[in-house]
Amino acid sequence: MRMIKPLADLYEQLRRLPGVGSKTALRLAYHIIDKPDDEVKQLVQTLLAAKQQIKLCTVCYNLSDQEICSICSDKTRDEKLICVVEQPQDVMAMERSHGYKGRYHVLHGVLSPLDGVGPDNIRLRELLVRLRISEVREVIVATNSDVEGEATAVYIAQLLKPLGIEVTRIAHGLPVGSDLEFADEMTLARALANRINM
């Protein structure tokens, strides 16, 4: 049975969202259709308001509703320590750990030559400018451990070497609570390479 055009259009838009497959998109479309008009209007207004009000912090390029985000304007944070991440959601993940008290720099991507993403397509230039006008002592590179994340981490380390700033990389290895027998070879190799003294 074919869908009526308005439902098919809604389904197609929902299916474009990351992580939303065909079944979920259809379920969401039916859910929205079943909602009262005022709830659907509220959803639409919230989506539009978020799109219009959220901008990039002029310092770190994290998402913000102000010119400078709350992390960059927080005087209690260590401004000599910058953690470089791929996306704004990575800032949220780091913040959930409650273990990092420095500042951030969001690249909004990683180097991926096969996809046409080079150094000029992510916020590397802005990082260099920021480092030249501040007294940063350490940059922690917290990109993902996939091929693109590793390539970006190596590129950043080489880029910053002439500046005399210490560049470190977050450790990768076994997650807490996992069993050795279920770990893949690469994860075990990383865990061994990143071992610490006890």
Side-chain angles (χ1 to χ4, degrees), residues 30-159:
Y30 279 114
H31 178 77
I32 291 168
I33 296 302
D34 287 340
K35 285 288 182 195
D37 286 356
D38 59 327
E39 288 186 32
V40 175
K41 285 178 187 172
Q42 184 63 46
L43 174 62
V44 170
Q45 289 168 352
T46 303
L47 287 169
L48 287 171
K51 183 64 178 161
Q52 292 165 356
Q53 295 170 16
I54 295 172
K55 51 188 149 228
L56 298 182
C57 171
T58 58
V59 177
C60 71
Y61 300 94
N62 190 16
L63 299 181
S64 178
D65 59 351
Q66 303 292 319
E67 186 176 335
I68 297 176
C69 73
S70 59
I71 295 173
C72 288
S73 59
D74 184 348
K75 300 296 181 199
T76 65
R77 298 193 75 114
D78 186 352
E79 60 188 29
K80 295 185 178 189
L81 185 62
I82 293 180
C83 181
V84 177
V85 296
E86 292 180 19
Q87 299 293 344
Q89 52 267 41
D90 299 330
V91 173
M92 291 182 68
M94 293 289 289
E95 288 297 291
R96 280 194 306 268
S97 76
H98 301 289
Y100 178 70
K101 299 299 177 197
R103 305 268 172 96
Y104 293 94
H105 187 85
V106 183
L107 295 173
H108 290 272
V110 286
L111 299 175
S112 181
L114 294 176
D115 296 322
V117 181
D120 292 335
N121 303 113
I122 58 177
R123 302 244 178 222
L124 284 173
R125 186 179 308 118
E126 293 86 344
L127 176 63
L128 284 175
V129 169
R130 189 173 172 194
L131 294 175
R132 287 191 177 116
I133 61 173
S134 64
E135 295 180 16
V136 173
R137 72 174 185 282
E138 181 183 357
V139 170
I140 302 167
V141 181
T143 53
N144 292 330
S145 61
D146 55 17
V147 173
E148 293 85 1
E150 289 296 330
T152 304
V154 170
Y155 186 85
I156 290 171
Q158 292 172 347
L159 192 64

